[in-house]
């Protein structure tokens, strides 16, 4: 698919997708003869993974590191089941759990605040 279709399917801007390409998070699988980027279903899945990391506050460097671990595990190379790879994945899981909890706590505070504001209407 072309970058426009990918942007539409993911809800991300063309600029964001191009930036991810420039920093190496998501490289287009191919290019047309005219130089336009072409993306595969695997590219779409990778971009959706990146999109899910963003609201959790992962930096580009953290995203790059996690994607490297995932690539290693999915490609089934020598390091796929190495203890270091497993430890890195475990660390990302633990960090994601912590970040999710923080968002959950913030949502609770937002709900309490909303209740206080609505009580002012009475």
């Amino acid at each position: 698919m072309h970058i426009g279709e990918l942007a539409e399917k993911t809800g991300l801007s063309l600029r964001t997708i191009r930036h991810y390409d420039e920093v190496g998070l998501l490289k287009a699988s191919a290019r047309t003869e005219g130089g336009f980027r072409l993306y595969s279903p695997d590219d779409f899945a990778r971009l959706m993974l990146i999109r899910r990391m963003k609201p959790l506050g992962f930096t580009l460097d953290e995203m790059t590191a996690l994607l490297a671990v995932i690539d290693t595990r999915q490609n089934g190379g020598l390091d796929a089941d190495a203890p270091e790879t497993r430890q890195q994945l475990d660390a990302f899981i633990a960090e994601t759990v912590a970040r999710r909890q923080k968002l959950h706590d913030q949502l609770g505070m937002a709900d309490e605040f909303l209740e206080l504001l609505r009580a002012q209407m009475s």
Side-chain angles (χ1 to χ4, degrees), residues 16-19 22 27-28 32-33 36-37 44 49 52-53 61 68-69 71-72 83-85 93 98 101-102 109 122:
T16 297
I17 295 170
R18 286 186 190 111
H19 177 68
E22 290 169 11
K27 293 290 184 186
T32 65
E33 288 182 20
F36 294 102
R37 294 171 176 91
F44 170 77
L49 182 63
R52 289 178 179 114
M53 285 187 268
D61 288 340
V69 170
D71 289 346
T72 298
E84 299 83 23
T85 303
I93 291 170
Q101 184 61 49
K102 183 177 178 182
M109 285 186 256
S122 305

Short mmCIF file of all heavy atoms in Angstrom, two decimals, residues 16-19 22 27-28 32-33 36-37 44 49 52-53 61 68-69 71-72 83-85 93 98 101-102 109 122:
data_model
loop_
_atom_site.label_atom_id
_atom_site.label_comp_id
_atom_site.label_asym_id
_atom_site.label_seq_id
_atom_site.Cartn_x
_atom_site.Cartn_y
_atom_site.Cartn_z
N THR A 16 4.45 11.95 10.21
CA THR A 16 4.89 11.04 11.27
C THR A 16 5.47 9.76 10.66
O THR A 16 6.53 9.30 11.09
CB THR A 16 3.72 10.70 12.21
OG1 THR A 16 3.28 11.90 12.86
CG2 THR A 16 4.11 9.67 13.25
N ILE A 17 4.80 9.22 9.68
CA ILE A 17 5.28 7.99 9.04
C ILE A 17 6.62 8.25 8.37
O ILE A 17 7.55 7.43 8.48
CB ILE A 17 4.24 7.44 8.05
CG1 ILE A 17 2.98 7.01 8.82
CG2 ILE A 17 4.82 6.26 7.26
CD1 ILE A 17 1.79 6.67 7.94
N ARG A 18 6.75 9.37 7.69
CA ARG A 18 8.04 9.71 7.06
C ARG A 18 9.14 9.87 8.10
O ARG A 18 10.28 9.45 7.90
CB ARG A 18 7.90 10.97 6.22
CG ARG A 18 7.15 10.77 4.93
CD ARG A 18 7.17 12.03 4.08
NE ARG A 18 6.28 11.89 2.97
CZ ARG A 18 5.14 12.58 2.80
NH1 ARG A 18 4.79 13.49 3.70
NH2 ARG A 18 4.37 12.38 1.76
N HIS A 19 8.78 10.48 9.23
CA HIS A 19 9.76 10.65 10.31
C HIS A 19 10.21 9.29 10.84
O HIS A 19 11.41 9.07 11.06
CB HIS A 19 9.16 11.49 11.44
CG HIS A 19 10.07 11.66 12.61
ND1 HIS A 19 11.24 12.38 12.55
CD2 HIS A 19 10.00 11.16 13.87
CE1 HIS A 19 11.84 12.34 13.72
NE2 HIS A 19 11.11 11.60 14.54
N GLU A 22 12.69 8.00 8.48
CA GLU A 22 13.97 8.70 8.59
C GLU A 22 14.79 8.24 9.78
O GLU A 22 16.02 8.15 9.69
CB GLU A 22 13.74 10.22 8.69
CG GLU A 22 13.24 10.84 7.42
CD GLU A 22 12.78 12.28 7.61
OE1 GLU A 22 13.04 12.87 8.68
OE2 GLU A 22 12.16 12.82 6.66
N LYS A 27 10.89 1.18 7.92
CA LYS A 27 11.35 1.36 6.55
C LYS A 27 10.32 0.78 5.59
O LYS A 27 9.75 -0.27 5.86
CB LYS A 27 12.70 0.65 6.33
CG LYS A 27 13.85 1.27 7.11
CD LYS A 27 14.20 2.61 6.52
CE LYS A 27 15.40 3.23 7.21
NZ LYS A 27 15.64 4.58 6.74
N ALA A 28 10.08 1.48 4.52
CA ALA A 28 9.17 0.97 3.50
C ALA A 28 9.72 -0.33 2.93
O ALA A 28 10.93 -0.46 2.73
CB ALA A 28 9.00 2.00 2.39
N THR A 32 8.18 2.34 -5.54
CA THR A 32 7.75 2.26 -6.94
C THR A 32 8.88 2.78 -7.81
O THR A 32 9.87 3.33 -7.31
CB THR A 32 6.50 3.13 -7.18
OG1 THR A 32 6.85 4.51 -6.98
CG2 THR A 32 5.35 2.73 -6.27
N GLU A 33 8.74 2.62 -9.11
CA GLU A 33 9.74 3.15 -10.04
C GLU A 33 9.87 4.66 -9.87
O GLU A 33 10.95 5.21 -10.09
CB GLU A 33 9.37 2.79 -11.48
CG GLU A 33 9.56 1.33 -11.78
CD GLU A 33 9.24 1.00 -13.23
OE1 GLU A 33 9.25 1.92 -14.08
OE2 GLU A 33 8.98 -0.19 -13.50
N PHE A 36 8.04 6.27 -4.87
CA PHE A 36 7.06 6.31 -3.80
C PHE A 36 7.20 5.10 -2.89
O PHE A 36 7.42 3.97 -3.36
CB PHE A 36 5.64 6.37 -4.37
CG PHE A 36 5.35 7.64 -5.11
CD1 PHE A 36 5.36 7.66 -6.50
CD2 PHE A 36 5.07 8.82 -4.43
CE1 PHE A 36 5.10 8.82 -7.20
CE2 PHE A 36 4.81 9.99 -5.12
CZ PHE A 36 4.83 9.99 -6.51
N ARG A 37 7.04 5.34 -1.59
CA ARG A 37 7.14 4.25 -0.61
C ARG A 37 5.97 3.28 -0.76
O ARG A 37 4.83 3.69 -0.95
CB ARG A 37 7.13 4.82 0.81
CG ARG A 37 8.32 5.67 1.15
CD ARG A 37 8.06 6.35 2.51
NE ARG A 37 9.19 7.11 2.96
CZ ARG A 37 9.40 8.39 2.71
NH1 ARG A 37 8.53 9.07 1.99
NH2 ARG A 37 10.46 9.00 3.18
N PHE A 44 2.51 -2.50 8.19
CA PHE A 44 1.32 -1.99 8.89
C PHE A 44 1.31 -2.47 10.34
O PHE A 44 1.09 -1.68 11.26
CB PHE A 44 0.04 -2.42 8.16
CG PHE A 44 -1.21 -2.14 8.93
CD1 PHE A 44 -1.74 -0.86 9.00
CD2 PHE A 44 -1.87 -3.17 9.59
CE1 PHE A 44 -2.90 -0.60 9.72
CE2 PHE A 44 -3.02 -2.92 10.31
CZ PHE A 44 -3.54 -1.63 10.37
N LEU A 49 2.19 -1.32 16.16
CA LEU A 49 2.92 -1.56 17.40
C LEU A 49 3.56 -0.25 17.88
O LEU A 49 3.46 0.10 19.07
CB LEU A 49 3.99 -2.64 17.18
CG LEU A 49 4.80 -3.04 18.40
CD1 LEU A 49 3.92 -3.66 19.47
CD2 LEU A 49 5.88 -4.03 17.99
N ARG A 52 1.02 2.06 19.32
CA ARG A 52 0.57 1.66 20.66
C ARG A 52 1.59 2.02 21.73
O ARG A 52 1.24 2.17 22.90
CB ARG A 52 0.25 0.18 20.67
CG ARG A 52 -1.02 -0.13 19.89
CD ARG A 52 -1.32 -1.61 19.86
NE ARG A 52 -2.53 -1.84 19.12
CZ ARG A 52 -2.59 -2.50 17.96
NH1 ARG A 52 -1.49 -2.99 17.42
NH2 ARG A 52 -3.73 -2.67 17.34
N MET A 53 2.85 2.13 21.35
CA MET A 53 3.89 2.50 22.32
C MET A 53 3.86 4.00 22.63
O MET A 53 4.18 4.41 23.74
CB MET A 53 5.28 2.15 21.77
CG MET A 53 5.60 0.68 21.82
SD MET A 53 7.32 0.38 21.36
CE MET A 53 7.14 0.09 19.61
N ASP A 61 14.22 6.01 21.03
CA ASP A 61 15.29 5.04 21.34
C ASP A 61 14.73 3.79 21.99
O ASP A 61 15.15 2.67 21.68
CB ASP A 61 16.34 5.68 22.25
CG ASP A 61 17.21 6.70 21.53
OD1 ASP A 61 17.26 6.67 20.28
OD2 ASP A 61 17.83 7.53 22.23
N ALA A 68 13.87 -4.04 18.03
CA ALA A 68 15.01 -4.93 17.78
C ALA A 68 14.82 -6.25 18.50
O ALA A 68 15.10 -7.33 17.95
CB ALA A 68 16.31 -4.25 18.22
N VAL A 69 14.34 -6.21 19.74
CA VAL A 69 14.07 -7.44 20.50
C VAL A 69 12.98 -8.25 19.80
O VAL A 69 13.11 -9.46 19.63
CB VAL A 69 13.67 -7.11 21.96
CG1 VAL A 69 13.16 -8.35 22.67
CG2 VAL A 69 14.85 -6.51 22.71
N ASP A 71 12.06 -8.12 16.66
CA ASP A 71 12.61 -8.65 15.39
C ASP A 71 13.46 -9.89 15.64
O ASP A 71 13.37 -10.88 14.91
CB ASP A 71 13.44 -7.59 14.67
CG ASP A 71 12.60 -6.47 14.09
OD1 ASP A 71 11.36 -6.63 13.99
OD2 ASP A 71 13.18 -5.41 13.75
N THR A 72 14.28 -9.84 16.66
CA THR A 72 15.14 -10.98 17.00
C THR A 72 14.30 -12.20 17.33
O THR A 72 14.56 -13.30 16.85
CB THR A 72 16.06 -10.63 18.20
OG1 THR A 72 16.90 -9.54 17.82
CG2 THR A 72 16.91 -11.81 18.60
N PRO A 83 19.01 -15.81 26.82
CA PRO A 83 18.56 -15.21 28.10
C PRO A 83 18.55 -13.68 28.05
O PRO A 83 17.65 -13.06 28.62
CB PRO A 83 19.58 -15.72 29.11
CG PRO A 83 20.15 -16.96 28.52
CD PRO A 83 20.10 -16.77 27.04
N GLU A 84 19.51 -13.09 27.35
CA GLU A 84 19.56 -11.62 27.28
C GLU A 84 18.34 -11.07 26.54
O GLU A 84 17.77 -10.06 26.94
CB GLU A 84 20.84 -11.15 26.57
CG GLU A 84 22.12 -11.56 27.26
CD GLU A 84 22.56 -12.98 26.90
OE1 GLU A 84 22.17 -13.51 25.83
OE2 GLU A 84 23.28 -13.57 27.71
N THR A 85 17.96 -11.76 25.48
CA THR A 85 16.80 -11.33 24.70
C THR A 85 15.54 -11.45 25.55
O THR A 85 14.70 -10.55 25.57
CB THR A 85 16.66 -12.16 23.41
OG1 THR A 85 17.88 -12.05 22.67
CG2 THR A 85 15.50 -11.70 22.56
N ILE A 93 8.15 -5.53 29.20
CA ILE A 93 6.82 -5.89 29.72
C ILE A 93 6.60 -5.22 31.07
O ILE A 93 5.55 -4.61 31.31
CB ILE A 93 6.67 -7.42 29.81
CG1 ILE A 93 6.60 -8.02 28.40
CG2 ILE A 93 5.43 -7.80 30.63
CD1 ILE A 93 6.69 -9.54 28.35
N ALA A 98 4.01 -0.86 34.30
CA ALA A 98 4.14 0.33 35.16
C ALA A 98 3.53 1.56 34.49
O ALA A 98 2.82 2.34 35.14
CB ALA A 98 5.61 0.56 35.50
N GLN A 101 -0.24 1.34 34.51
CA GLN A 101 -0.78 1.64 35.83
C GLN A 101 -0.81 3.15 36.08
O GLN A 101 -1.77 3.68 36.62
CB GLN A 101 0.03 0.95 36.93
CG GLN A 101 -0.53 1.14 38.33
CD GLN A 101 -1.94 0.59 38.48
OE1 GLN A 101 -2.21 -0.55 38.12
NE2 GLN A 101 -2.85 1.40 39.01
N LYS A 102 0.24 3.83 35.65
CA LYS A 102 0.29 5.28 35.81
C LYS A 102 -0.87 5.94 35.04
O LYS A 102 -1.53 6.83 35.57
CB LYS A 102 1.63 5.83 35.32
CG LYS A 102 1.79 7.31 35.52
CD LYS A 102 3.17 7.78 35.08
CE LYS A 102 3.28 9.28 35.25
NZ LYS A 102 4.59 9.79 34.81
N MET A 109 -7.98 9.91 38.54
CA MET A 109 -7.97 11.30 39.00
C MET A 109 -8.83 12.18 38.08
O MET A 109 -9.53 13.08 38.56
CB MET A 109 -6.54 11.82 39.05
CG MET A 109 -5.75 11.28 40.24
SD MET A 109 -4.14 12.07 40.35
CE MET A 109 -3.13 10.73 39.72
N SER A 122 -24.97 21.39 40.24
CA SER A 122 -26.16 21.17 41.08
C SER A 122 -26.51 22.37 41.93
O SER A 122 -25.76 23.12 42.37
CB SER A 122 -25.94 19.99 42.01
OG SER A 122 -25.58 18.85 41.27
#
